[in-house]
């Protein structure tokens, strides 16, 4: 066999060879050896300049040759490794599955992190785009919207920003015009009313037509609209002639002036209270809309000047805020409200609050991957015992240590690469189920897919885990002195003590890592349960909700809308399977919520105190009974609370506690949005239980309700309490609506518990993923423990056989083996608990009503891990007692 | 023994290798034997020439076990070398014919 891995001194060997051959020739021609050699050397002459000249060239050539030799040995080793792996299918399969799970989970979470945290926003100016909020630290409202008057002031005074834009949602109905006659059903649209400069601010442009200009927002200008690519294709068949056509939105005719580039549906991810992606945009110059400072409904975007940083922007806003305080001390100055103007990057607003959870998931998945690597390393070490003969033979045949290490490393990298390939499949599946699990409120999740970054990431993981898995056992095995390896053959005990120690520490690490993930999962599960236990104030079970918005054009005046609603409630109540029906707006825990300042009769509005503020809603008679909201005092709305009679209101217990502590709320009067305390007054006729509108995490503000009979609303959510499965009522509800107005689209038909579930969807997402990862980690660690003990038993078959033959009791043997396993598990458990406790502060922000060091969770995880370790140790121990002493003794 | 002009050694090496792989000594011996020892290939010229040809990509080398049981470099022609050999052979033949005409011409 040719030796290829050695560089001879350039040229010299070749020339020595030449001289030698030449000498032989002269001897053959009859010269004496001495004369022959002298002549050969003479002929050679002075070779030094030639040697020097050729040395550089030679070196270059040698390197190239060596490289190709390395490559061919690499290919040879790769083919060999593939053969070896095919030769032990059980090992290969186990390792592949383990690695596929580990790498797949990591790649899937990386895909989500990539989509949510690393991906660029699709707006050219995104990096300079900030948002501006009213921040009320006292009330925990850090990101409150901005009133039009405030927006006008900001527009006039900002210096650190070169452009401002505001927007608010407007749900509307598209009627008439469409490309094909068949699709002309009315359609509910999410539109946004935006500053004309919004798209310039973001740096995005139209695919067709034009974007808005400042002239479009002015009152009295022709009414125009921009469509999203999706709406244009869906409704108008992608017809380019759409530009200049008139469409009817909410009964108002608007000319289509542009279609936005595909992929832009601003806001593409939720910002502030804007949760929905739009279908169309309508322009208004918000700074000219003067409807006070109390009604804060605008989300404000601002683009930093190229020469200004975020801190300059904040300083600019602080100065403006100071001016606000001077001009309107009642509103902004009271120390109790702790008001200020805040600004943060758009990106943080869109994705900021999922970041901690994602990083934790990433950490959890990293633990799972490490466990998987440890497991495969364990398998490799175990296999090392049986492969020692093969390696010893190869070493005896002249394979160097480097070559053996190369061989073993290639084997593991081949394994991890195949594992990564399978892992990408796992990741794809995992992403699909994650998207299915998520009802749309983890921003960006639907963008997560296995793309080139994820593939590169998986390739990196394959390489990394290849090194993690392969290097320690490879270095250990290649030491193998051929002599003992060949001599003790299959019985090999050899260095098994050292090997057991390596495997033992791997198992300890696995258990510790699993404990960390499990503690995280346990804490999340506990806090999820705690959240579910919080009393929301209403009963979501067996309740169906249906939302619809009446078009103003055909239901003016408001009394017509009220008449329609009443007729619909009557029909819904009469449906088979329905116990009661009523209507409310906004629905608890829905995307919309109303709040505003109020005046309370007899309560002085002292300067320096924040004005009274509350959430409110309109409700039809029977709403509280239908929703299961407990009536504490007084009565529900009735038919008597209709237009023309005294305005009736119902407040919640929180309202009474805040504004009339120790008194009854009945007969008290409040007024909304009035600047003076002159009314019109609404008289309180009932007090109901407080409803947690923003889910379990926030207690929420005081609440009051108007009678919907007296305050006509075009958008209304109907709630139906059913005796049957609420979802089964959907067709009947549709029919009831169609019978009353065939042109009316139902915006949503959702059981109430699904509405509530959406509020906890993110928590459920975290819980499910963490739990899955925790269980996978536990299973892998259990398998690792089992594997170590099983091979321990099989290696000690002789010892065990002798013990049994000498009268050792099987029970004693079981205890011995099991205690070895339990010692490993206990060390891992202790280390894991300590590490989990140290890391738990990172999970604190995700917890609800549970301490990061919650003793119950840690105890439960300890018990779980010990139970699994017991099971994993028991079976190998049992096997030990089945050793037949006679066979063993005969084998000696 | 006559020596020969610069450039002709390269051509002879390429020609020699076109018959199959050889080591340095083999190349020298083949040329000497073929010319009935009329031409002596000097080692001081041969080895630099081999490196030169290698660098131009006309020949390549690999290690092999020699008849003296030593590792020795075997040189062989590359495809580029074969093309170069064809070109130079044509040039040389044309030049030799022209030289012959000049030398044999009568006034």
């Amino acid at each position: 066999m040719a030796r290829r891995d050695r560089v001879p001194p350039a040229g010299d060997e070749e020339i020595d060879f030449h001289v030698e051959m030449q000498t032989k020739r002269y001897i053959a021609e009859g010269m004496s050896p001495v004369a022959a050699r002298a002549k050969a050397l003479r002929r050679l002459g002075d070779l030094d300049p030639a040697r020097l000249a050729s040395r550089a060239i030679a070196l270059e050539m040698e390197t190239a040759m060596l490289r190709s030799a390395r490559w061919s040995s690499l290919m040879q080793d790769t083919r060999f490794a593939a053969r070896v792996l095919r030769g032990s299918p059980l090992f290969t399969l186990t390792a592949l599955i383990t690695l596929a799970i580990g790498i797949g989970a990591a790649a899937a979470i990386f895909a989500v992190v990539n989509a949510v945290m690393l991906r660029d926003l699709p707006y050219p100016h995104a990096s300079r785009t900030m948002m501006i909020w009213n921040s009320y630290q006292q009330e925990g409202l850090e990101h409150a919207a901005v009133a039009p008057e405030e927006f006008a002031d900001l527009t006039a005074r900002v210096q650190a920003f070169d452009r401002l834009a505001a927007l608010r949602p407007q749900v509307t109905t598209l009627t008439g015009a469409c490309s094909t006659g068949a699709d002309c059903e009315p359609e509910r649209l999410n539109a946004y009313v935006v500053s004309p400069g919004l798209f310039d601010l973001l740096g995005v442009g139209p695919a067709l037509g034009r974007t808005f200009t400042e002239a479009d927002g002015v009152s009295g200008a022709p009414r125009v609209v921009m469509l999203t690519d999706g709406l244009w294709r869906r409704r108008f068949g992608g017809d380019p002639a759409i530009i200049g056509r008139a469409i009817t939105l909410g009964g108002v005719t608007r000319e289509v002036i542009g279609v936005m580039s595909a992929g832009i549906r601003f806001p593409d991810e939720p910002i502030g209270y804007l949760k929905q992606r739009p279908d169309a945009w309508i322009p208004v110059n918000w700074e000219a809309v003067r409807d006070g400072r109390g009604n804060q409904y605008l989300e404000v975007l601002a683009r930093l000047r190229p020469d200004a940083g975020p801190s300059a922007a904040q300083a600019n806003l602080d100065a403006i805020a100071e001016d606000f305080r001077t001009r309107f001390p009642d509103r902004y100055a009271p120390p109790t409200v702790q008001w200020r103007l805040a600004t943060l990057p758009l990106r943080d607003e869109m994705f900021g609050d999922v970041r901690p959870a994602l990083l934790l998931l990433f950490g959890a998945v990293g633990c799972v991957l490490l466990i998987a690597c440890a497991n495969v390393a364990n398998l490799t070490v175990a296999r090392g015992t049986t492969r020692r003969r093969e390696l010893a033979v190869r070493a005896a045949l002249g394979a160097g240590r480097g070559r053996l290490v190369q061989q073993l490393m290639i084997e593991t990298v081949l394994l991890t690469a195949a594992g990564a390939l399978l892992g990408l499949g796992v990741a794809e599946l995992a992403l699909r189920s994650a998207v299915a699990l998520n009802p749309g409120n983890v921003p960006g999740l639907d963008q997560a897919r296995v793309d080139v970054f994820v593939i590169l990431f998986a390739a990196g993981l394959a390489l990394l885990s290849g090194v993690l898995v392969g290097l320690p056992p490879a270095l250990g095995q290649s030491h193998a002195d051929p002599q003992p390896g060949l001599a003790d053959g299959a019985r090999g005990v050899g260095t098994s003590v050292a090997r057991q120690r390596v495997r033992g520490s791997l198992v300890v690490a696995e258990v510790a890592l699993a404990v960390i993930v499990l503690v995280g999962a346990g804490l999340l599960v506990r806090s999820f349960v705690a959240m579910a236990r919080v009393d929301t104030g209403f009963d979501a079970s067996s309740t169906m909700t249906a939302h619809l918005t009446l078009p103003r054009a055909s239901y003016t005046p408001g009394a017509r809308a009220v008449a329609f609603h009443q007729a619909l409630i009557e029909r819904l109540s009469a449906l088979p399977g329905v116990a009661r029906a009523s209507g409310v707006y906004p629905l608890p825990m829905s995307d919309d919520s109303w709040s505003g300042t109020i005046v309370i009769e007899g309560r002085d509005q002292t300067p320096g105190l924040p004005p009274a503020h509350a959430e409110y809603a309109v409700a039809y008679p029977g709403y509280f009974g239908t929703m299961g909201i407990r009536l504490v005092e007084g009565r529900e709305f009735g038919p008597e609370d209709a237009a023309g009679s005294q305005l009736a209101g119902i407040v919640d217990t929180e309202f009474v506690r805040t504004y009339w502590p120790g008194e009854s709320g009945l007969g008290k009067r409040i007024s909304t949005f009035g600047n003076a305390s002159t009314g019109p007054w609404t008289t309180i006729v009932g007090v109901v239980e407080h409803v947690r509108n923003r889910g379990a995490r926030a207690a929420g503000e005081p609440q009051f309700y108007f009678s919907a009979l007296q305050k006509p609303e075009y958008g209304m959510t109907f709630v139906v309490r059913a005796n049957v499965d609420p979802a089964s009522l959907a067709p009947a509800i549709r029919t009831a609506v169609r019978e009353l107005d065939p042109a009316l689209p139902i915006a949503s038909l959702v059981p109430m518990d699904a509405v509530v579930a959406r509020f906890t969807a993110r928590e459920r997402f975290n819980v499910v993923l963490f739990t899955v990862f925790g269980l996978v980690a536990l299973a892998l660690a259990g398998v690792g423990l089992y594997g170590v003990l099983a091979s321990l038993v099989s290696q000690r078959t002789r010892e065990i056989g002798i013990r049994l033959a000498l009268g050792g009791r099987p029970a004693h043997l079981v205890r011995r083996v099991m205690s070895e396993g339990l010692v490993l598990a206990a060390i891992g458990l202790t280390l894991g608990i300590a590490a989990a406790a140290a890391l738990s502060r990172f999970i604190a922000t995700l917890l609800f009503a549970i301490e990061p060091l919650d003793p119950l969770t840690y105890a439960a995880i300890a018990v779980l891990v010990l139970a699994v370790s017991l099971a994993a140790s028991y079976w190998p121990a049992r096997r030990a007692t089945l050793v037949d002493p006679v066979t063993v003794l005969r084998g000696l | 023994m006559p020596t020969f002009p610069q450039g002709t050694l390269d051509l002879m090496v390429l020609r020699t290798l076109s018959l199959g792989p050889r080591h340095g000594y083999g190349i020298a011996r083949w040329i000497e034997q073929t010319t009935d020892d009329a031409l002596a290939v000097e080692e001081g010229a041969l080895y630099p020439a081999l490196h030169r040809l290698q660098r131009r990509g006309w020949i390549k080398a690999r290690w092999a076990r020699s008849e003296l049981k030593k590792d020795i470099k075997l040189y062989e022609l590359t495809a580029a070398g074969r093309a170069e050999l064809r070109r130079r052979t044509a040039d040389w033949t044309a030049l030799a014919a022209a030289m012959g005409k000049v030398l044999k011409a009568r006034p």
Side-chain angles (χ1 to χ4, degrees):
Chain A
M1 196 200 300
R3 295 286 302 273
R4 300 180 183 178
D5 43 3
R6 185 166 52 93
V7 188
D12 289 1
E13 227 179 48
E14 198 171 18
I15 286 165
D16 293 345
F17 173 78
H18 196 111
V19 170
E20 209 170 319
M21 292 297 282
Q22 198 78 268
T23 311
K24 280 193 173 219
R25 178 183 150 212
Y26 291 141
I27 293 172
E29 284 172 5
M31 292 174 80
S32 74
V34 176
R37 181 157 182 85
K39 184 169 180 198
L41 281 173
R42 203 164 341 93
R43 239 189 91 131
L44 210 57
D46 185 11
L47 259 182
D48 281 349
R51 281 186 191 195
L52 278 178
S54 65
R55 198 154 295 194
I57 306 172
L59 201 65
E60 187 181 301
M61 297 325 230
E62 296 296 343
T63 316
M65 280 171 61
L66 214 68
R67 205 177 293 133
S68 93
R70 285 243 174 81
W71 178 245
S72 88
S73 93
L74 210 64
M75 292 309 292
Q76 193 187 337
D77 283 359
T78 306
R79 276 193 297 274
F80 183 73
R83 216 159 46 233
V84 166
L85 291 176
R86 271 202 306 275
S88 47
L90 195 64
F91 162 78
T92 307
L93 201 68
T94 318
L96 275 184
I97 292 174
T98 309
L99 286 167
I101 291 173
I103 295 178
I109 294 299
F110 175 77
V112 176
V113 169
N114 184 37
V116 174
M117 284 168 55
L118 308 176
R119 184 171 54 113
D120 282 332
L121 292 176
Y123 327 118
H125 299 152
S127 61
R128 284 197 287 138
T129 306
M130 313 281 286
M131 294 200 64
I132 299 178
W133 293 279
N134 281 306
S135 166
Y136 300 92
Q137 271 149 321
Q138 180 67 16
E139 293 166 56
L141 269 174
E142 311 249 333
H143 296 182
V146 173
E149 295 264 6
E150 294 169 334
F151 178 65
D153 281 348
L154 285 171
T155 310
R157 284 157 201 264
V158 290
Q159 283 135 21
F161 303 96
D162 57 14
R163 192 122 213 188
L164 259 68
L167 67 160
R168 79 168 297 187
Q170 178 169 308
V171 174
T172 184
T173 309
L174 173 61
T175 44
C178 53
S179 60
T180 58
D183 283 335
C184 281
E185 292 273 315
E187 186 178 348
R188 179 183 181 271
L189 293 188
N190 290 310
Y192 278 93
V193 185
V194 304
S195 299
L198 173 69
F199 299 119
D200 287 345
L201 185 155
L202 295 169
V204 297
L208 214 61
R210 61 175 179 90
T211 51
F212 303 127
T213 64
E214 292 302 326
D216 287 321
V218 179
S219 118
R223 287 169 153 167
V224 296
V225 63
M226 271 193 84
L227 309 183
T228 56
D229 184 78
L231 177 65
W232 176 52
R233 288 179 195 283
R234 181 176 77 235
R235 180 84 181 186
F236 303 102
D239 178 9
I242 187 73
I243 304 301
R245 261 174 69 184
I247 62 171
T248 308
L249 281 178
V252 174
T253 306
R254 293 182 175 273
E255 182 193 335
V256 178
I257 58 150
V259 176
M260 183 47 70
S261 327
I264 305 287
R265 280 182 84 182
F266 190 85
D268 294 85
E269 304 296 345
I271 53 173
Y273 78 103
L274 313 181
K275 306 288 187 202
Q276 309 289 338
R277 290 182 191 167
D279 302 298
W281 297 276
I282 295 165
V284 160
N285 54 343
W286 280 113
E287 61 278 15
V289 174
R290 300 269 167 179
D291 72 350
R293 292 172 179 273
N295 229 343
Q296 298 169 325
Y297 54 75
L298 292 178
E299 297 290 2
V300 174
L301 271 70
R303 192 174 66 196
L304 279 176
R305 294 164 62 102
D307 55 344
S311 56
Q314 188 59 60
N316 187 199
L317 290 177
D318 290 345
I320 296 171
E322 205 43 57
D323 174 61
F324 277 22
R325 281 193 198 95
T326 320
R327 282 161 60 209
F328 307 98
D330 290 4
R331 178 169 289 281
Y332 302 111
T336 43
V337 297
Q338 290 188 3
W339 170 86
R340 61 186 205 100
L341 287 168
T343 183
L344 258 187
L346 173 65
R347 190 189 176 87
D348 289 5
E349 178 61 25
M350 283 185 164
F351 298 117
D353 54 345
V354 290
R355 198 167 294 179
L358 272 184
L359 288 177
L360 274 171
L361 281 174
F362 209 41
V365 98
C367 289
V368 172
L369 180 61
L370 283 178
I371 296 173
C373 286
N375 238 344
V376 177
N378 232 332
L379 284 172
T380 315
V381 176
R383 224 163 56 101
T385 320
T386 49
R387 287 197 63 190
R388 279 185 69 214
R389 259 179 82 86
E390 172 213 325
L391 294 173
V393 169
R394 300 194 63 202
L397 289 179
R401 182 170 173 202
R403 187 71 187 271
L404 285 184
V405 170
Q406 171 178 311
Q407 166 66 43
L408 292 171
M409 286 307 295
I410 284 175
E411 242 173 80
T412 48
V413 171
L414 205 63
L415 204 58
T416 53
L421 216 58
L422 286 177
L424 285 173
V426 172
E428 179 68 37
L429 283 178
L431 282 178
R432 281 194 200 156
S433 19
V435 171
L437 188 70
N438 167 52
N441 69 354
V442 175
L445 185 61
D446 50 346
Q447 307 284 328
R449 48 185 54 95
V450 175
D451 58 11
V452 64
F453 295 107
V454 176
I455 291 172
L456 284 177
F457 181 75
L461 286 185
L463 217 61
L464 182 72
S465 39
V467 172
L468 283 179
V469 167
L471 206 51
L475 288 176
Q477 282 175 2
S478 60
H479 272 306
D481 176 8
Q483 194 45 41
L486 285 173
D488 71 17
R491 275 183 193 168
V493 192
T495 56
S496 70
V497 174
R499 196 161 291 140
Q500 277 301 332
R501 196 169 299 139
V502 171
R503 301 195 60 190
S505 7
L506 284 171
V507 164
V508 166
E510 283 183 51
V511 172
L513 287 165
V515 167
I516 294 174
V517 182
L518 283 168
V519 165
L523 289 171
L524 288 177
V525 167
R526 290 257 297 145
S527 84
F528 191 70
V529 170
M531 279 177 94
R533 285 218 186 107
V534 170
D535 183 11
T536 53
F538 60 90
D539 175 13
S541 64
S542 309
T543 309
M544 189 68 183
T545 75
H547 181 80
L548 38 93
T549 303
L550 296 173
R552 263 164 220 274
S554 40
Y555 285 91
T556 310
R560 294 185 61 189
V562 171
F564 174 91
H565 290 157
Q566 283 183 297
L568 181 59
I569 290 171
E570 205 168 299
R571 271 171 190 264
L572 293 176
S573 312
L575 288 177
V578 170
R580 334 177 51 159
S582 186
V584 69
Y585 197 84
L587 184 72
M589 295 195 180
S590 63
D591 289 334
D592 203 357
S593 73
W594 289 345
S595 68
T597 51
I598 44 172
V599 177
I600 291 163
E601 190 181 30
R603 185 172 186 265
D604 290 332
Q605 185 52 60
T606 358
L609 283 176
H613 198 267
E615 290 176 359
Y616 61 96
V618 299
Y620 276 104
Y623 166 68
F624 299 103
T626 310
M627 271 300 255
I629 300 171
R630 198 167 62 87
L631 185 68
V632 178
E633 207 180 2
R635 62 172 177 87
E636 274 223 37
F637 292 128
E640 65 270 31
D641 303 313
S645 46
Q646 188 189 50
L647 292 179
I650 290 177
V651 294
D652 75 344
T653 46
E654 190 66 23
F655 197 103
V656 175
R657 202 180 56 74
T658 310
Y659 298 118
W660 303 302
E663 297 177 52
S664 164
L666 295 184
K668 299 272 193 313
R669 301 207 299 172
I670 61 174
S671 171
T672 52
F673 317 122
N675 291 327
S677 37
T678 54
W681 295 108
T682 301
T683 308
I684 306 305
V685 298
V687 177
V688 293
E689 197 63 57
H690 178 65
V691 168
R692 282 188 179 242
N693 252 332
R694 286 183 227 153
R697 277 185 193 274
E701 289 189 90
Q703 291 155 350
F704 69 91
Y705 302 84
F706 290 116
S707 166
L709 297 171
Q710 293 170 329
K711 297 254 178 186
E713 273 301 325
Y714 288 89
M716 186 60 56
T717 307
F718 296 90
V719 290
V720 175
R721 179 155 297 274
N723 303 321
V724 293
D725 173 22
S728 70
L729 290 174
I733 294 175
R734 268 182 213 287
T735 313
V737 172
R738 204 173 304 130
E739 280 168 8
L740 284 173
D741 183 346
L744 199 64
I746 297 187
S748 69
L749 257 173
V750 192
M752 191 62 201
D753 41 19
V755 174
V756 174
R758 270 190 34 188
F759 245 84
T760 49
R762 204 174 280 177
E763 280 82 4
R764 186 173 324 108
F765 187 72
N766 293 340
V767 165
V768 170
L769 285 188
F770 244 96
T771 309
V772 167
F773 293 153
L775 294 180
V776 168
L778 182 62
L780 288 176
V783 168
L785 184 61
Y786 172 88
V788 168
L789 293 176
S791 78
L792 189 83
V793 166
S794 68
Q795 274 173 30
R796 290 208 199 142
T797 309
R798 271 196 294 182
E799 176 203 329
I800 292 166
I802 293 168
R803 278 173 189 279
L804 286 173
L806 293 178
R809 281 183 313 169
H812 185 234
L813 203 62
V814 169
R815 263 207 307 282
R816 260 182 63 103
V817 175
M818 283 186 71
S819 71
E820 295 218 22
L822 288 183
V823 163
L824 292 178
I827 299 173
L829 185 61
T830 314
L831 291 175
I833 294 271
L839 292 170
S840 66
R841 64 199 159 92
F842 293 111
I843 210 170
T845 54
L846 298 183
L847 298 183
F848 176 80
I850 297 291
E851 290 300 312
L853 293 176
D854 178 51
L856 189 60
T857 306
Y858 286 78
I861 297 304
V863 169
L864 178 67
V865 168
L866 282 178
V868 168
S869 311
L870 267 176
S873 321
Y874 178 70
W875 295 111
R878 274 286 301 175
R879 243 184 37 195
T881 62
L882 300 179
V883 168
D884 178 8
V886 178
T887 320
V888 170
L889 291 177
R890 203 173 285 148
L892 284 176
Chain B
M1 272 192 279
T3 53
F4 37 85
Q6 177 83 43
T8 49
L9 176 60
D10 286 6
L11 179 55
M12 282 190 289
V13 169
L14 289 176
R15 165 67 188 147
T16 312
L17 289 179
S18 76
L19 304 172
R22 275 191 169 69
H23 45 60
Y25 177 76
I27 294 169
R29 270 313 287 158
W30 192 82
I31 293 173
E32 287 168 4
Q33 280 168 2
T34 310
T35 58
D36 299 327
D37 286 331
L39 290 178
V41 180
E42 278 175 26
E43 290 83 341
L46 174 67
Y47 285 96
L50 283 172
H51 289 306
R52 201 164 51 235
L53 293 172
Q54 228 180 327
R55 180 138 67 172
R56 292 194 181 156
W58 292 332
I59 64 173
K60 60 186 178 188
R62 61 185 160 85
W63 287 105
R65 185 57 57 97
S66 73
E67 48 268 54
L68 294 182
K69 301 285 178 261
K70 282 187 174 170
D71 285 346
I72 190 67
K73 269 205 260 184
L74 273 190
Y75 297 91
E76 57 192 320
L77 211 55
T78 63
R82 207 165 288 281
E84 183 64 17
L85 172 63
R86 264 197 304 279
R87 198 179 63 72
R88 287 204 188 189
T89 308
D91 286 355
W92 182 259
T93 317
L95 178 66
M99 282 293 281
K101 280 180 191 159
V102 170
L103 294 178
K104 287 178 189 152
R106 288 153 197 265

